[in-house]
Amino acid sequence: MKKLFTLIAFLTCFLGAKAELVEVYSIDYSTYNGFPFYVMGYVPEWFDGVMTDFGAMYTYKTEADVTAEDNVVGEVQTNNAGATYKKIELAEPGWHQYFIADGIPTTMDGKYKVVAIAKASEATTVSVNMGWGWGDGQQAKSSVNIGTDWGEVEWEYSGIAGSSCNLVAQPGTFAGTIEWKSLKVYEDKKQERPTLWQEWLTDDGKSIIPNVEHTNKYVGDAETAWPAWSLEVTDGVNINWRTDRAPEICAWALTMGKNNDNGPRDGAELDGRARPFPADIEAEEGNASNHVYAVHVDQIAVIDDDASIQWSNQFWLQAPKSFKANETVKIKFRYKAQKGCSVATQWHKKNPSDYLNYTGVGSVAFTTEWQEFSKDVTLDTDGTYSLAFNLTSDSKKDAPQEPNIFYFDDLCWQTMVLDEGLFVAGTNTVTGMPEYDFDNAIQFVESTDEAGCLEATIGKVGDKTTYVNEIMISTVRGNTASFKSATIKPAGDFIGEDNWGNYTESSLAKINLKAVGAWKIYVDTEQKQVNILMLDGEEVVAKDVVTNTTNVIVHGLEREPTATEQPADEEAGTPAGTGQAWDNQFFLVANRVLEAGEETVVKFQYKANKAAKTTTQTHAQPGGYIHWAAIGDVNFTEEWQEFSYDYTIPNEAAGKSAQSIAFNMAEIKEACDYELKDFQWYLKYEEAGKTMENLINAEGTANFFVKEGAGTNPHEFVPGGTGIETVAAKTVKTSAVIYNIAGQRVNKNYKGLVVKDGKKVVLK
């Protein structure tokens, strides 16, 4: 035990190194001969190991989706489940996007740099999203400039809030060719103190510290027999598939033809499918004294559709305890198969077959020799997980793989050994104090002057080099991501004598103290309240509110009809409208990332050359959507008006790098020139004309971005020009869009009087 104490004492004194870029993901496209990712309507093609995007004049469909009107010009085979897509030439550019990476391991509030080798047939700017989900605010956006010669292109992201991310390139309506050779992702992080892990996979639920003598038996080593079970059916359902049996075991299997749900239940016929059962335990071949889990895959067939063949046979490694969102776990196991193959993994909830998401731990390559798997994974949501292995991932509908046997041993979930209690770390955003030192966060102790409370002091009286104006309080210490994910967030007035504010648990909660100094912090954990007192320091002097007088003109282009304005009409040959309210946009961008709950004021003068309404949204960087609400609607008229709004950063923006207000300037269909000037954006303050911080510059255009036209990317505003004009080597193309006299978009086969490129013509 003395050795363990010495190690922990050492860890407490550990000082992290400076931040450095660490490679966390790499893909070399030359190792593939077909598109390896999920297809989103567009399939890049492979030539000499280069992933090639042939541009917006093509789309791709499966055989079942091809129609007689489609101009099929080729065929593409993907590496993703061996699917085949028809290449179809379009009469006009169509908007397109596709994955360029998937399964990137990420951490809470992480910062990332991406380096790719690419080129294009003409210089272009491509929007690339780093996403950890498909909901609102679950993607970070960046713009990537690609030249005409092979070379490295770099771009960055911050404020990532997921544990596994993808990269989706969105060339939009760009009709040129883009080629990709390789891509790497680097995380900007500092070295942390060594992590001590504890194993949880025991038969009594107690933890085991590695290298410490113990008597508990592992469940994961297959030496302990499962509780007795059989294929007994009660009410049409095998008793061993009931959820009340789930906590008893940690390894499940599913194979076609075994443990089927037969007969009626609750008056309804069951589908007769195979259901999970406790995995078989067998003696290891050549080592009879050791036992392993074996899954015999004898039948392989489609269940419902082409994709479901992948999970017609499965294995699950189930966690015996629940985890918190953003908690990091280490998953380890030994594995091999009778025949080599690649197996995809997914996250399921506590019970096998209760699907959660597709990420898992990525693909696992089985060989005929034993291998050891080990990976640290940050979990996205609260709950108890099971890791699902889709054992027939290599199978195809028309050519299933041969029967196989999969073996697993030494199944292990591990969690970090962290200091538990309350801890505070701080920084000085005014003087540029170094980043938070989470490894050495100060621990709260029992208060001597506030009964029943904990207290901690941060900053030293009389030593300005230690003063802070921003802090984070967490319930754990020992790992940066874990610290950030377990913070508390006060509300209301909590600074000053007898000002106690309620707090809630919240990931990445940064507490702005509105002054620089040394502080004493009291926390009442029973009442969930916080009080903070200044011991030394001085209030940050309020500044005059600045006004940026730049006159911003956004030339909003006429947009396509929306799907509501023009529903699809097969008889008339009119597709559904594709127009969106955000086809034209203006962005007001703050000089820094804003935290949820920060109170700001936004003011400006505005008018347009016709009556028009714009809605507003909260974004990260321009185009990085977070939340539908911002400063409300702005109703333009032909006369100058003054706009003023008290804008509190919404809770939905927590941890998502909120920094921009987006104005959707295509709410009306017609072309419109919008004009804005005399901008103010600052932190709200009790004295008129004063603020603790101006969020935009007093002059210049760095805070203004525009997007004029569907498919274009946001660009910094250029006085006397437009954002589009700042894009190098863009070729202006005439529109191939055709409208009938009623203003509906029609295809090239339409007969009669139409409007094309602003002129009336007759199509015969």
Side-chain angles (χ1 to χ4, degrees):
M1 211 51 199
K2 184 177 180 181
K3 289 183 179 180
L4 183 61
F5 174 82
T6 303
L7 174 62
I8 293 176
F10 164 73
L11 296 180
T12 305
C13 300
F14 180 84
L15 293 176
K18 292 183 179 180
E20 60 177 337
L21 290 175
V22 178
E23 182 181 315
V24 295
Y25 179 91
S26 175
I27 183 169
D28 180 353
Y29 300 114
S30 69
T31 61
Y32 297 86
N33 56 18
F35 189 63
F37 306 119
Y38 176 77
V39 174
M40 296 190 294
Y42 193 90
V43 186
E45 301 180 46
W46 253 250
F47 292 92
D48 297 326
V50 175
M51 184 170 71
T52 306
D53 162 12
F54 280 105
M57 295 306 299
Y58 300 96
T59 191
Y60 298 80
K61 296 182 180 180
T62 60
E63 182 74 44
D65 294 329
V66 174
T67 65
E69 291 76 24
D70 289 331
N71 182 20
V72 178
V73 296
E75 187 174 276
V76 180
Q77 182 87 6
T78 72
N79 278 8
N80 184 15
T84 299
Y85 288 81
K86 300 295 185 181
K87 183 178 182 180
I88 298 168
E89 187 172 12
L90 302 175
E92 58 188 75
W95 194 90
H96 69 298
Q97 63 179 351
Y98 50 88
F99 281 84
I100 57 175
D102 196 14
I104 304 167
T106 53
T107 58
M108 185 73 175
D109 198 32
K111 297 179 181 179
Y112 297 88
K113 179 179 181 179
V114 182
V115 179
I117 298 178
K119 73 172 183 176
S121 57
E122 57 181 290
T124 187
T125 300
V126 176
S127 178
V128 181
N129 290 350
M130 178 177 254
W132 50 97
W134 302 104
D136 291 347
Q138 292 184 301
Q139 295 92 32
K141 180 171 288 190
S142 187
S143 294
V144 181
N145 297 314
I146 301 177
T148 57
D149 296 320
W150 284 114
E152 288 189 346
V153 292
E154 300 180 359
W155 64 98
E156 297 179 348
Y157 301 97
S158 61
I160 302 302
S163 62
S164 181
C165 286
N166 54 56
L167 290 175
V168 176
Q170 296 179 328
T173 56
F174 177 65
T177 298
I178 303 174
E179 299 175 83
W180 304 86
K181 275 190 176 180
S182 63
L183 179 145
K184 293 184 177 182
V185 181
Y186 301 87
E187 183 175 354
D188 185 9
K189 58 183 179 181
K190 68 183 183 73
Q191 180 182 340
E192 297 188 55
R193 65 184 189 178
T195 300
L196 186 66
W197 294 90
Q198 63 183 2
E199 298 183 13
W200 284 95
L201 213 57
T202 67
D203 56 0
D204 59 2
K206 294 181 180 179
S207 65
I208 298 174
I209 305 298
N211 304 319
V212 175
E213 184 178 354
H214 63 85
T215 58
N216 295 316
K217 293 181 179 179
Y218 290 93
V219 175
D221 62 7
E223 300 306 318
T224 304
W226 301 130
W229 80 286
S230 68
L231 290 176
E232 176 190 352
V233 173
T234 303
D235 293 331
V237 178
N238 184 270
I239 191 172
N240 300 285
W241 173 228
R242 289 178 172 176
T243 57
D244 58 0
R245 292 296 298 271
E248 297 182 16
I249 63 176
C250 64
W252 293 82
L254 179 149
T255 56
M256 298 186 75
K258 183 175 180 179
N259 197 27
N260 288 4
D261 260 347
N262 295 314
R265 183 188 185 204
D266 297 330
E269 289 293 330
L270 300 176
D271 57 17
R273 283 195 185 184
R275 299 300 180 187
F277 54 86
D280 295 333
I281 293 179
E282 300 178 359
E284 180 184 352
E285 184 179 357
N287 184 13
S289 63
N290 185 58
H291 291 80
V292 299
Y293 303 114
V295 185
H296 294 260
V297 175
D298 298 317
Q299 301 178 37
I300 305 169
V302 174
I303 300 175
D304 290 325
D305 49 46
D306 291 351
S308 66
I309 195 171
Q310 297 186 32
W311 47 84
S312 60
N313 297 276
Q314 292 178 293
F315 175 79
W316 287 270
L317 169 55
Q318 184 189 58
K321 69 179 292 288
S322 61
F323 302 108
K324 292 183 179 180
N326 300 306
E327 186 171 356
T328 299
V329 300
K330 184 188 291 291
I331 296 178
K332 298 176 67 176
F333 54 88
R334 294 172 64 234
Y335 64 105
K336 75 169 187 175
Q338 187 182 52
K339 299 182 179 72
C341 63
S342 179
V343 169
T345 61
Q346 301 172 332
W347 288 123
H348 286 205
K349 299 176 186 177
K350 183 172 187 175
N351 297 320
S353 288
D354 192 358
Y355 176 81
L356 182 61
N357 65 57
Y358 71 94
T359 56
V361 295
S363 293
V364 179
F366 281 73
T367 67
T368 57
E369 301 295 328
W370 282 106
Q371 302 178 73
E372 182 171 304
F373 181 94
S374 179
K375 186 172 185 178
D376 298 353
V377 182
T378 302
L379 304 172
D380 287 330
T381 58
D382 293 343
T384 303
Y385 287 68
S386 59
L387 178 63
F389 297 76
N390 299 329
L391 299 180
T392 45
S393 299
D394 279 355
S395 297
K396 300 176 177 62
K397 179 179 179 180
D398 299 323
Q401 68 186 42
E402 296 178 355
N404 205 348
I405 305 175
F406 296 86
Y407 299 99
F408 299 85
D409 195 15
D410 297 337
L411 311 178
C412 185
W413 292 75
Q414 296 183 346
T415 53
M416 293 181 181
V417 179
L418 300 173
D419 303 327
E420 297 185 359
L422 277 180
F423 308 88
V424 60
T427 188
N428 187 332
T429 63
V430 175
T431 62
M433 182 178 179
E435 294 182 1
Y436 283 92
D437 183 3
F438 296 109
D439 283 334
N440 297 287
I442 298 165
Q443 184 168 12
F444 282 73
V445 297
E446 188 175 343
S447 177
T448 57
D449 49 21
E450 285 286 351
C453 295
L454 299 174
E455 67 177 43
T457 300
I458 186 166
K460 296 179 182 179
V461 174
D463 185 354
K464 292 185 178 181
T465 64
T466 67
Y467 288 174
V468 301
N469 71 326
E470 183 180 278
I471 60 173
M472 296 179 75
I473 302 174
S474 179
T475 60
V476 296
R477 178 181 63 184
N479 172 266
T480 295
S482 300
F483 187 104
K484 292 179 179 180
S485 68
T487 54
I488 65 173
K489 180 180 180 180
D493 190 2
F494 52 86
I495 298 178
E497 292 285 351
D498 298 323
N499 288 330
W500 288 81
N502 296 327
Y503 72 80
T504 56
E505 295 180 355
S506 176
S507 295
L508 199 63
K510 296 177 181 177
I511 304 171
N512 187 344
L513 301 176
K514 300 181 180 179
V516 175
W519 306 84
K520 176 169 269 193
I521 307 163
Y522 298 100
V523 177
D524 185 334
T525 56
E526 183 175 346
Q527 299 297 322
K528 290 198 170 183
Q529 291 186 327
V530 174
N531 179 225
I532 302 179
L533 303 178
M534 175 179 275
L535 302 178
D536 190 20
E538 55 188 32
E539 295 284 343
V540 178
V541 178
K543 311 176 181 69
D544 291 332
V545 173
V546 301
T547 301
N548 188 311
T549 60
T550 299
N551 194 44
V552 177
I553 299 176
V554 181
H555 300 294
L557 306 181
E558 180 178 355
R559 65 160 167 76
E560 300 292 330
T562 64
T564 301
E565 294 167 343
Q566 180 182 304
D569 186 338
E570 293 184 6
E571 291 185 5
T574 56
T578 59
Q580 300 288 354
W582 49 85
D583 285 349
N584 301 299
Q585 286 179 300
F586 166 67
F587 298 89
L588 181 59
V589 185
N591 289 329
R592 66 169 175 84
V593 169
L594 299 168
E595 300 297 331
E598 285 196 89
E599 298 179 347
T600 75
V601 178
V602 179
K603 293 183 178 182
F604 53 85
Q605 301 283 330
Y606 66 107
K607 73 170 185 174
N609 65 347
K610 65 178 66 176
K613 181 186 82 170
T614 71
T615 53
T616 61
Q617 302 169 333
T618 300
H619 281 222
Q621 287 295 316
Y625 174 82
I626 294 176
H627 186 54
W628 58 268
I631 60 175
D633 296 345
V634 181
N635 295 300
F636 286 76
T637 68
E638 296 181 48
E639 302 296 329
W640 284 108
Q641 303 177 74
E642 181 174 281
F643 183 92
S644 180
Y645 190 91
D646 291 354
Y647 172 40
T648 300
I649 308 304
N651 292 332
E652 290 81 359
K656 297 175 182 175
S657 300
Q659 196 168 356
S660 308
I661 300 171
F663 295 68
N664 295 325
M665 291 180 161
E667 290 287 351
I668 64 169
K669 182 177 183 296
E670 299 81 11
C672 183
D673 290 340
Y674 301 86
E675 198 166 351
L676 305 96
K677 66 178 182 179
D678 297 341
F679 297 90
Q680 297 179 351
W681 192 6
Y682 56 90
L683 292 184
K684 191 175 182 180
Y685 192 67
E686 58 266 23
E687 184 179 347
K690 296 288 186 179
T691 182
M692 301 303 292
E693 182 182 2
N694 285 292
L695 299 175
I696 61 172
N697 302 322
E699 56 186 28
T701 62
N703 303 107
F704 312 123
F705 280 67
V706 298
K707 172 182 178 289
E708 297 172 328
T712 58
N713 293 310
H715 298 280
E716 185 176 339
F717 173 74
V718 177
T722 70
I724 291 177
E725 290 171 358
T726 67
V727 182
K730 280 284 187 183
T731 301
V732 179
K733 297 181 175 64
T734 59
S735 174
V737 179
I738 307 170
Y739 300 94
N740 62 21
I741 297 303
Q744 297 174 310
R745 181 174 173 175
V746 296
N747 61 31
K748 63 180 181 179
N749 298 321
Y750 184 86
K751 308 299 183 185
L753 186 62
V754 299
V755 178
K756 183 177 181 182
D757 289 329
K759 300 177 181 179
K760 292 181 180 180
V761 296
V762 177
L763 294 182
K764 299 179 180 180

